[in-house]
Amino acid sequence: MASPATRPRRQAPPRHQPEPRFDRQLGKILEHATEVFCNKGYEGASMRDLSRATGMSLAGMYHYFGSKERLLYLIQKHTFSTILSQVRECLSQTTSSEQGIRTFIENHLEYFLEHQQAMKVLSHEDEVLDGEYGREIAHIKREYYRICRDLLDRYKKEKGIEFDSRTAVLSLFGMMNWIYTWYNPRLDGGAGQLSREMGNIFFRGISAGKRNGAGK
Amino acid sequence: MASPATRPRRQAPPRHQPEPRFDRQLGKILEHATEVFCNKGYEGASMRDLSRATGMSLAGMYHYFGSKERLLYLIQKHTFSTILSQVRECLSQTTSSEQGIRTFIENHLEYFLEHQQAMKVLSHEDEVLDGEYGREIAHIKREYYRICRDLLDRYKKEKGIEFDSRTAVLSLFGMMNWIYTWYNPRLDGGAGQLSREMGNIFFRGISAGKRNGAGK
DNA sequence: TTACAATTAGAACGAACGTTCGAACTGTTA
DNA sequence: TAACAGTTCGAACGTTCGTTCTAATTGTAA
């Protein structure tokens, strides 16, 4: 079931550009595969479904990806790595811890809505991977969680208030990650509006509302 | 794929007690099946897994339940109906809208933690059922959502504050339903503590904290 | 052109899938 | 006892699963 992440791929890229076309096509395939996993679930999607959707033969899929499990792993790893490095970059420009948390929320929702299918696969097929693959994804996840939790701990210290950080972070993640079950672009606006609303709830709760209108 | 909910069952229960032993055994089987669905997912669990776990032969499963889809439907319907009627009963004794929402949260989390596996199956296998089955579950779900949203609208009017009800309710559901991905009884306390913490975040946000200790 | 590796594809593998079927049990009623 | 519905089961149905194999095809370097 579990095996290290080293399998087919190219072993010795010549001296030219390091696989431009190769990786671009591979990226396209991953996109299509993500859509299938998103719609049918990991177990519900067959390699034949994936091969049909990507336009690549069944045997070709195995040439590129080695196994169905590894295909899911590559999708999850790429998605998670991207959102992680993106949030790090955004945060490097903030100083206030409240602003940091609000940036974290906005970045998360922005990425979430921009890559809804990939994020659903990440959220929904969370426990599927085990072994080495699962450990690697879990590690990235823990880093991501840590960033938010550290921001929160800083906020607590600065403001001198006390609450359970773990519950708070995980509640925040719940608010944000659950949207894949209900988001409707016509009803719910964009990432900016949603992150402002969720940020407000998280910081001040619903009771402190009143400030509507404004904000594009 | 979809068919009405009328299938095997008993058609004409004699005049004695209305199927006491029958339903009790059926309940046991549903419990075991819930555990399997919870651990392996709907698509990942085979009828042979389910038959093994329940101790009933493969053919026996079909005698009782008709199909794998109907088995999931029965689990979801029973779980959802129960939590819905339970929350209605709890709410009938409250008057304040804030107290109502806090009661809603507490009831939800209490039931969630008491029946973690069933609630995970309900949350995680949400989009699996289609046709008549799916419509029926969706209907119960909408009722449940409505109760919370009406409470929230009442709260808004009473307090004269303004915020987006839809986003608020769905954020609250996200907070609560996400716990199946992280809850650890050793770290996170019971339903009472969690619902107090989440209720606080929802009403006052994290900034209004400070009141720790106390309350078991 | 030849040569060679990277890529693609059709066909097939055994295993497991959801479901069905007819026969064997069981417990009650006459 | 015989009869009969309700229940249980082993065995098998046809299909699809993830994966592998071998051979054909492609693109590029010499």
Side-chain angles (χ1 to χ4, degrees):
Chain A
M1 287 283 166
S3 58
T6 54
R7 276 273 236 141
R9 268 321 258 270
R10 230 177 204 152
Q11 289 156 302
R15 33 195 156 334
H16 337 290
Q17 314 99 305
E19 316 155 357
R21 201 171 312 175
F22 180 89
D23 274 4
R24 216 171 323 132
Q25 195 195 357
L26 196 140
K28 278 277 173 212
I29 291 175
L30 281 187
E31 259 182 52
H32 287 119
T34 300
E35 185 176 343
V36 176
F37 278 143
C38 174
N39 291 330
K40 315 186 86 166
Y42 174 76
E43 301 280 359
S46 73
M47 285 299 270
R48 284 162 183 84
D49 292 330
L50 294 163
S51 117
R52 209 175 305 121
T54 57
M56 171 173 280
S57 81
L58 196 49
M61 299 288 290
Y62 279 92
H63 175 75
Y64 273 105
F65 303 109
S67 73
K68 188 184 175 187
E69 204 183 5
R70 202 175 104 94
L71 187 45
L72 176 64
Y73 158 77
L74 288 175
I75 291 172
Q76 295 202 340
K77 167 143 185 193
H78 173 261
T79 305
F80 227 148
S81 302
T82 308
I83 195 176
L84 181 61
S85 72
Q86 187 175 301
V87 84
R88 277 192 172 130
E89 193 187 320
C90 286
L91 284 178
S92 69
Q93 296 170 349
T94 64
T95 50
S96 137
S97 58
E98 170 164 350
Q99 200 39 245
I101 294 169
R102 293 197 104 109
T103 299
F104 188 93
I105 295 173
E106 184 174 357
N107 184 80
H108 188 87
L109 290 182
E110 204 169 274
Y111 193 89
F112 210 113
L113 298 187
E114 196 91 34
H115 307 84
Q116 255 186 96
Q117 297 182 325
M119 288 302 277
K120 176 175 174 185
V121 172
L122 200 56
S123 299
H124 204 252
E125 314 299 345
D126 180 36
E127 291 175 305
V128 174
L129 296 175
D130 55 351
E132 192 54 42
Y133 290 159
R135 241 171 282 137
E136 199 172 334
I137 301 297
H139 179 256
I140 305 178
K141 187 167 144 187
R142 219 171 299 123
E143 281 190 83
Y144 192 68
Y145 165 83
R146 256 290 152 203
I147 289 179
C148 188
R149 169 148 187 172
D150 287 346
L151 280 170
L152 211 54
D153 283 335
R154 240 183 73 203
Y155 180 80
K156 274 163 68 172
K157 244 181 219 145
E158 285 176 16
K159 302 283 180 183
I161 55 184
E162 187 49 51
F163 55 86
D164 187 276
S165 292
R166 178 177 153 87
T167 306
V169 180
L170 292 169
S171 296
L172 176 60
F173 276 128
M175 271 195 249
M176 297 191 296
N177 291 339
W178 197 245
I179 64 172
Y180 83 79
T181 69
W182 56 267
Y183 179 69
N184 180 340
R186 268 223 305 282
L187 296 175
D188 300 310
Q193 183 185 328
L194 268 179
S195 60
R196 232 171 297 122
E197 286 170 352
M198 286 192 183
N200 285 344
I201 291 179
F202 188 64
F203 277 106
R204 311 199 293 266
I206 55 172
S207 306
K210 193 66 190 170
R211 205 194 9 93
N212 67 333
K216 76 143 83 205
Chain B
M1 284 285 167
S3 58
T6 53
R7 276 275 235 141
R9 270 318 260 269
R10 228 178 206 151
Q11 289 156 303
R15 36 196 155 330
H16 338 291
Q17 315 99 304
E19 317 155 355
R21 203 170 310 175
F22 179 89
D23 272 3
R24 217 171 322 136
Q25 196 196 355
L26 197 140
K28 279 277 174 212
I29 291 176
L30 281 187
E31 260 182 52
H32 286 118
T34 300
E35 185 177 341
V36 176
F37 277 142
C38 174
N39 291 331
K40 315 186 88 168
Y42 174 76
E43 300 280 0
S46 73
M47 285 299 270
R48 284 161 183 84
D49 292 331
L50 294 163
S51 116
R52 209 175 304 120
T54 58
M56 171 173 279
S57 81
L58 195 49
M61 300 287 290
Y62 279 91
H63 175 75
Y64 275 104
F65 302 109
S67 73
K68 188 184 175 187
E69 204 182 7
R70 202 175 103 95
L71 187 45
L72 176 64
Y73 159 75
L74 288 174
I75 291 173
Q76 294 201 341
K77 166 143 187 197
H78 174 262
T79 305
F80 226 149
S81 302
T82 307
I83 195 175
L84 181 61
S85 71
Q86 187 175 302
V87 83
R88 278 191 171 130
E89 193 187 321
C90 285
L91 284 178
S92 69
Q93 297 169 348
T94 64
T95 51
S96 138
S97 59
E98 169 164 351
Q99 199 40 245
I101 295 169
R102 293 197 104 107
T103 299
F104 188 93
I105 295 172
E106 183 173 358
N107 184 80
H108 189 87
L109 289 181
E110 202 169 274
Y111 193 90
F112 210 113
L113 299 186
E114 196 92 35
H115 307 85
Q116 255 186 96
Q117 296 181 327
M119 289 301 278
K120 176 176 174 184
V121 172
L122 200 56
S123 299
H124 203 253
E125 314 299 345
D126 180 36
E127 292 175 303
V128 174
L129 295 177
D130 55 350
E132 192 55 42
Y133 290 159
R135 242 170 280 136
E136 199 172 334
I137 301 298
H139 178 257
I140 305 178
K141 187 167 144 187
R142 221 170 299 123
E143 281 191 82
Y144 192 68
Y145 166 81
R146 257 288 152 204
I147 289 180
C148 189
R149 169 146 186 173
D150 287 346
L151 280 170
L152 211 54
D153 282 335
R154 242 184 72 203
Y155 180 81
K156 272 163 68 172
K157 244 181 219 145
E158 285 177 15
K159 301 283 180 182
I161 55 183
E162 187 47 50
F163 54 86
D164 187 275
S165 290
R166 177 176 153 87
T167 306
V169 180
L170 292 169
S171 295
L172 176 60
F173 276 128
M175 270 196 250
M176 295 192 297
N177 291 340
W178 197 246
I179 63 172
Y180 83 80
T181 70
W182 55 267
Y183 179 68
N184 179 339
R186 267 222 306 281
L187 295 175
D188 301 309
Q193 182 186 326
L194 268 179
S195 59
R196 230 171 298 122
E197 286 171 351
M198 286 193 183
N200 285 344
I201 291 179
F202 188 64
F203 277 105
R204 310 198 294 266
I206 55 171
S207 307
K210 193 65 191 171
R211 205 195 3 92
N212 67 334
K216 81 131 74 161

